[in-house]
C-alpha cells in the first residue's frame, strides 16, 4: 500500500475548532479517510455512500471485506434515508438511547453500497455521543461508514496514539479528541426479526434493553464456549481471534480466589521456564502475584465500567512490554461486564474455568 502523509489534528471536544472540522469534512467528501473519536472507541471514517471510499477502509485496516460496517449519523432523520422499512422498535430505541453506544441493524435502503453491508440486505446505523464525531458527520453532510480505527484483529483504539500506531501513513487524517470514554464498542442489536438479537454486547447493556423490549435474545456466539476444569483447552485458530494483542491471552474464569490461585500456579510454571509473563488483574487482586511478572490492573471488580475503559489500553501495553503470554482474570458478566468478557473471550487462545 502506498504511503500517505497523515495529518494529525488535535481538537478540544468542548471547544470545537470549526476550521479543522471543515478540513476533515473536505477529506471525507473527496473520498478520503479520517479517524475520529467517539464515546466508545476511535472510528475510521469514510463517506458511507461512496463505494470507492468505503473500499479503501478495508484496505487501510486489512479487514476482510465480508465484515459489514456501521453507518454513523448525526440525527435520526438521516436514518430514514438509509432504511427501506424502519421497524417501529427503532423509533423507540433511538429516542431512548441515541446519541449513544447502541447500533441498530435495520433493513437497508437500495442506494447503500454493497461495500458497507458486505452483501447483506440489512444495514447497521448508530448516532455517536461525541461532539467531534457529530460535528464531522454534519460538516460532511453524509452518513460516515466507520469501523474501529485499528489494524484488523488488534484491540480497538481508545486513544489517538493507538490509531497512530496502527494507521499512520495509511490514512489521510487523525482527529485527536482525547481518550474515548467507554473504551469498548457499541452494542449491536438486530431488530429485523420479531425478537431482537444482541449480536455484540457493548455500551448499552442487556439489562437496559431488556427493560424496554421485554423479549430479547443474546446471540450464542457472544459468550463463547466455556471449558470444564479438567478438559484440555482447545486453541482456536487465529482466524477466530479478535480484539487480540500480539501476545497470546489465557483467560481464567470462576470464583475469584480460585482464579487467583490458578493464575499464580500457572505464572510460576511459566516464569520457571524463563517466559516473560503478563498478568491482567482487578485492583482488588493487585497484591500476592509473583513479583517477577508484569502486572497491570483493569479496573475494579465492583465497577465493570472501569474494566471496560481500561481493557484495550492494557492489552496494548502488554504488547509494548513484549510479554510472551498474558494471564487474565475474568469478571462477572452483569451490566457492561458482559461486553468486557465477550472481548476477553474472543481475544484469548485458551479459556479455563476455575
Ligand atoms: O462503537 C462502535 O460501534 C465503533 C465506533 C467507531 O462507532 N465501531 C465499531 O465498528 O466497532 P466495527 O466495524 O469494528 O464493528 C461493527 C460490528 C461488526 O461486528 C459487524 O459485523 C457488525 O457491527 N455489523 C455491521 N453491519 C451489520 C449488519 N448489517 N448485520 C449484522 N452485523 C453488522
Ligand atoms: Mg472493530
Amino acid at each position: 500500500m502506498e504511503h500517505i502523509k497523515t495529518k494529525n489534528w488535535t481538537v478540544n471536544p468542548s471547544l470545537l475548532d470549526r476550521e479543522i472540522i471543515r478540513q476533515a469534512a473536505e477529506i471525507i467528501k473527496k473520498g478520503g479517510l479520517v479517524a475520529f473519536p467517539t464515546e466508545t472507541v476511535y472510528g475510521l471514517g469514510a463517506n458511507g455512500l461512496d463505494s470507492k471510499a468505503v473500499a479503501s477502509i478495508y484496505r487501510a485496516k486489512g479487514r476482510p471485506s465480508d465484515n459489514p460496517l456501521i453507518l454513523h449519523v448525526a440525527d435520526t432523520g438521516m436514518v430514514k434515508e438509509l432504511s427501506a422499512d424502519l421497524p417501529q422498535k427503532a423509533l423507540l430505541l433511538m429516542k431512548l438511547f441515541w446519541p449513544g453506544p447502541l447500533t441498530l441493524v435495520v433493513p437497508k435502503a437500495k442506494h447503500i453500497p454493497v461495500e458497507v453491508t458486505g452483501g447483506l440486505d440489512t444495514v447497521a446505523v448508530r448516532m455517536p455521543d461525541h461532539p467531534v464525531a457529530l460535528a464531522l458527520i454534519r460538516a460532511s453532510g453524509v452518513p460516515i461508514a466507520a469501523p474501529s480505527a485499528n489494524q484488523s484483529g488488534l484491540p480497538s483504539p481508545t486513544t489517538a496514539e493507538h490509531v497512530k500506531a496502527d494507521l499512520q501513513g495509511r490514512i489521510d487524517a487523525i482527529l485527536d479528541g482525547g481518550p474515548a470514554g467507554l473504551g469498548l464498542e457499541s452494542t449491536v442489536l438486530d431488530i429485523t426479526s420479531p425478537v431482537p438479537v444482541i449480536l455484540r454486547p457493548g455500551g448499552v447493556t442487556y439489562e437496559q434493553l431488556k427493560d424496554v423490549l421485554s423479549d430479547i435474545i443474546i446471540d450464542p456466539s457472544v459468550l463463547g464456549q466455556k471449558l470444564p476444569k479438567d478438559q484440555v483447552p482447545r486453541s482456536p485458530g487465529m482466524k477466530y481471534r479478535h480484539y487480540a494483542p500480539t501476545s497470546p491471552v489465557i483467560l481464567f474464569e470462576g470464583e475469584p480466589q480460585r482464579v487467583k490461585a490458578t493464575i499464580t500456579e500457572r505464572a510460576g510454571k511459566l516464569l520457571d521456564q524463563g517466559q516473560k509473563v503478563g498478568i491482567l488483574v482487578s485492583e482488588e487482586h493487585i497484591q500476592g502475584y509473583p513479583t517477577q511478572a508484569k502486572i497491570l490492573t483493569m479496573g475494579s471488580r465492583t465497577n465493570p465500567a472501569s474494566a471496560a475503559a481500561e481493557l484495550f489500553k492494557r492489552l496494548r501495553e502488554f504488547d509494548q512490554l513484549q510479554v510472551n503470554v498474558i494471564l487474565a482474570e475474568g469478571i462477572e458478566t452483569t451490566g457492561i461486564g458482559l461486553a468486557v468478557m465477550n472481548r476477553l473471550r474472543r481475544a484469548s487462545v485458551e479459556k479455563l474455568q476455575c
Side-chain angles (χ1 to χ4, degrees):
M1 191 171 166
E2 85 205 79
H3 185 86
I4 302 172
K5 188 155 171 24
T6 305
K7 293 190 180 71
N8 290 277
W9 283 309
T10 302
V11 274
N12 179 348
S14 48
L15 195 73
L16 291 179
D17 184 328
R18 293 286 154 193
E19 179 51 25
I20 291 178
I21 298 291
R22 190 192 65 74
Q23 289 185 46
E26 275 311 305
I27 295 175
I28 297 280
K29 285 191 226 173
K30 286 188 184 139
L33 299 182
V34 178
F36 60 95
T38 82
E39 84 283 26
T40 58
V41 298
Y42 272 70
L44 176 59
N47 177 352
L49 302 178
D50 176 343
S51 325
K52 265 170 96 179
V54 176
S56 66
I57 290 180
Y58 291 94
R59 276 202 302 281
K61 283 193 55 137
R63 174 172 169 126
S65 59
D66 58 354
N67 193 3
L69 303 174
I70 299 170
L71 288 182
H72 294 69
V73 298
D75 55 65
T76 52
M78 282 176 89
V79 172
K80 297 185 180 124
E81 288 163 33
L82 300 175
S83 180
D85 183 14
L86 206 55
Q88 270 297 318
K89 288 183 196 87
L91 301 175
L92 175 70
L93 292 165
M94 293 190 301
K95 192 162 167 235
L96 291 173
F97 297 108
W98 281 13
L102 178 66
T103 295
L104 298 173
V105 173
V106 295
K108 79 173 199 95
K110 277 206 185 72
H111 67 285
I112 297 174
V114 62
E115 286 79 3
V116 170
T117 58
L120 299 173
D121 51 15
T122 55
V123 63
V125 288
R126 119 169 168 90
M127 179 177 172
D129 188 11
H130 196 292
V132 175
L134 292 172
L136 180 66
I137 301 165
R138 283 194 190 108
S140 305
V142 290
I144 293 188
S148 47
N150 52 288
Q151 277 290 337
S152 187
L154 291 185
S156 296
T158 59
T159 65
E161 282 68 39
H162 296 163
V163 179
K164 255 194 211 175
D166 283 16
L167 299 174
Q168 184 83 9
R170 303 175 73 88
I171 63 177
D172 297 291
I174 301 173
L175 288 169
D176 182 350
L182 276 164
L184 289 180
E185 305 86 346
S186 63
T187 303
V188 178
L189 183 70
D190 184 344
I191 52 171
T192 60
S193 48
V195 178
V197 186
I198 295 181
L199 299 178
R200 176 178 75 182
V204 170
T205 64
Y206 166 77
E207 291 85 346
Q208 281 175 294
L209 292 169
K210 175 91 183 154
D211 267 354
V212 191
L213 310 162
S214 42
D215 250 356
I216 176 167
I217 303 170
I218 303 179
D219 189 87
S221 69
V222 161
L223 286 173
Q225 203 187 334
K226 278 192 188 177
L227 286 178
K229 196 180 177 183
D230 304 327
Q231 202 170 317
V232 179
R234 85 197 154 116
S235 285
M238 284 298 285
K239 73 175 182 173
Y240 298 113
R241 281 179 82 206
H242 199 18
Y243 312 111
T246 310
S247 330
V249 178
I250 305 178
L251 177 61
F252 298 76
E253 293 184 56
E255 194 278 315
Q257 286 312 317
R258 276 207 302 275
V259 164
K260 191 169 181 184
T262 316
I263 293 183
T264 304
E265 196 190 320
R266 176 73 83 100
K269 278 189 199 148
L270 291 165
L271 287 165
D272 285 347
Q273 291 165 12
Q275 304 263 1
K276 201 165 174 187
V277 178
I279 311 183
L280 183 61
V281 306
S282 52
E283 280 161 17
E284 289 83 352
H285 280 186
I286 181 111
Q287 302 295 336
Y289 278 118
T291 48
Q292 309 95 297
K294 302 280 174 200
I295 299 167
L296 297 179
T297 58
M298 181 186 73
S300 157
R301 287 192 167 268
T302 56
N303 179 11
S306 59
E310 290 182 342
L311 173 65
F312 287 147
K313 191 168 76 184
R314 295 303 187 220
L315 292 179
R316 282 177 180 260
E317 282 170 18
F318 278 125
D319 270 349
Q320 288 189 329
L321 292 167
Q322 297 186 308
V323 297
N324 303 118
V325 59
I326 301 165
L327 309 179
E329 289 183 354
I331 63 168
E332 278 184 42
T333 56
T334 44
I336 198 164
L338 181 65
V340 173
M341 289 310 293
N342 164 260
R343 306 305 189 273
L344 264 175
R345 285 174 187 167
R346 294 206 52 192
S348 56
V349 296
E350 185 182 330
K351 300 182 252 304
L352 288 174
Q353 193 63 37
C354 305

